[in-house]
Amino acid sequence: MRRLHRVAAAGLIALSAVATAQGPRLALLEKVLPGSWALHEIGAAGGNRAICVRDPGMLVQVHHVSAACNRILVSEGPRTLTVQYTCPGQGHGRTTITVENPNLLRIQTQGLAGGAPFDVDYEARRGGECR
């Protein structure tokens, strides 16, 4: 039983390490509220992609949400930031986030995920608390 507890604890530690990206403090994202967010691909027909955002920093890597990635802050201004990130063995990306207000963002992201390129612009709207 004791061994089972150690294995479970190691699993929780590993899971939290994967969810935490390594890199610079992104001060602009401190203005963004956590919660339920709907991502709508600008110019595409179809529905929204719903995600639960506990850490607004995860919006930097929407195509690598659960990956442990290393980040480099390229630029940060009063309303916009650009981050480049690399996820060993999983791909990389470059994302620019513009904060319209704490509940409305524009996310422009491009890179490589799962061996395929992506280049997407999203409008992200906060819908409330995560369920």
Side-chain angles (χ1 to χ4, degrees), residues 87-125:
C87 311
Q90 297 187 36
H92 62 271
R94 181 180 179 104
T95 302
T96 299
I97 297 177
T98 302
V99 178
E100 302 294 336
N101 64 55
N103 297 302
L104 178 63
L105 310 173
R106 179 173 175 143
I107 302 171
Q108 298 169 291
T109 186
Q110 61 185 6
L112 189 67
F118 62 88
D119 187 355
V120 186
D121 290 353
Y122 293 106
E123 177 183 84
R125 290 187 179 273

Side-chain angles (χ1 to χ4, degrees), residues 52-129:
C52 178
V53 174
R54 300 203 190 286
D55 170 15
M58 72 185 280
L59 294 169
V60 167
Q61 54 190 71
V62 295
H63 286 269
H64 297 91
V65 173
S66 62
C69 305
N70 297 309
R71 298 178 182 168
I72 298 170
L73 180 62
V74 175
S75 66
E76 186 170 22
R79 291 185 45 234
T80 303
L81 67 79
T82 299
V83 174
Q84 191 163 318
Y85 64 89
T86 303
C87 311
Q90 297 187 36
H92 62 271
R94 181 180 179 104
T95 302
T96 299
I97 297 177
T98 302
V99 178
E100 302 294 336
N101 64 55
N103 297 302
L104 178 63
L105 310 173
R106 179 173 175 143
I107 302 171
Q108 298 169 291
T109 186
Q110 61 185 6
L112 189 67
F118 62 88
D119 187 355
V120 186
D121 290 353
Y122 293 106
E123 177 183 84
R125 290 187 179 273
R126 186 176 182 275
E129 299 301 318

